Amino acid sequence: MNIAVTGIGVVSPAGVGVEPLARAMAQAAAAGEPVAGRAAFGREALARAGDRVDRMDRSCQLALVAALGAYEQSGLTSERTAVVFGSAYASLLVNQRFFEKIVSRGARFADPKRFPYTSPNVAGGEVAIALQLRGPNVSLTSGWHSGLSALIT
């Protein structure tokens, strides 16, 4: 089986896309500073997810915007396109909020709409649903090197 990376999607503090990040990195390098800030994108970037976006956590939203960029750049069809998603911490903040509510108020107060977002594979799943991808779907959460793990998987 041959595997090829055919598109690159980036969401960074510089904006959406490879070019804004490359410009920011060049400016930061010239100034001797890191590229810092919070990744930013407009709500229109999530339109393809429809009403599902309202319940997505931030990691799913970031994954979807980046995946859309890579998918549009690739020119591929959905029939054989796989999703390989790597995240250092997956849904850590969602897990924390979900379990804090259980601990403070009891299990019967757990939010069933939030539970799926406690799973580390939810971002890859949301990407596959939004883009109607029917290939394999693998999510890796192996710390800081998860992105590299995703590339070699």
Side-chain angles (χ1 to χ4, degrees):
M1 174 169 48
N2 294 326
I3 297 173
V5 176
T6 56
I8 299 171
V10 176
V11 183
S12 73
V16 177
V18 175
E19 293 79 16
L21 178 60
R23 281 193 302 274
M25 289 175 71
Q27 292 170 350
E33 298 287 332
V35 176
R38 183 175 164 93
F41 54 88
R43 184 124 174 118
E44 68 281 353
L46 297 167
R48 202 149 169 188
D51 62 347
R52 297 181 67 85
V53 74
D54 293 331
R55 64 177 172 251
M56 284 183 189
D57 67 341
R58 183 154 172 83
S59 65
C60 286
Q61 292 175 353
L62 290 167
L64 181 57
V65 173
L68 283 167
Y71 187 70
E72 289 169 1
Q73 191 181 78
S74 75
L76 296 173
T77 63
S78 62
E79 286 300 315
R80 297 181 51 190
T81 302
V83 175
V84 182
F85 177 76
S87 171
Y89 300 112
S91 51
L92 186 63
L93 293 175
V94 173
N95 288 345
Q96 178 183 351
R97 289 182 190 125
F98 183 80
F99 288 110
E100 280 175 349
K101 194 171 198 178
I102 290 173
V103 169
S104 69
R105 299 191 64 203
R108 66 184 200 157
F109 290 98
D111 185 353
K113 288 187 281 184
R114 286 285 170 206
F115 179 73
Y117 292 89
T118 64
S119 175
N121 68 345
V122 72
E126 289 290 2
V127 166
I129 291 167
L131 298 176
Q132 300 178 358
L133 303 178
R134 295 178 192 87
N137 193 322
V138 178
S139 294
L140 306 161
T141 53
S142 50
W144 289 100
H145 61 276
S146 296
L148 293 175
S149 295
L151 286 173
I152 62 173
T153 295

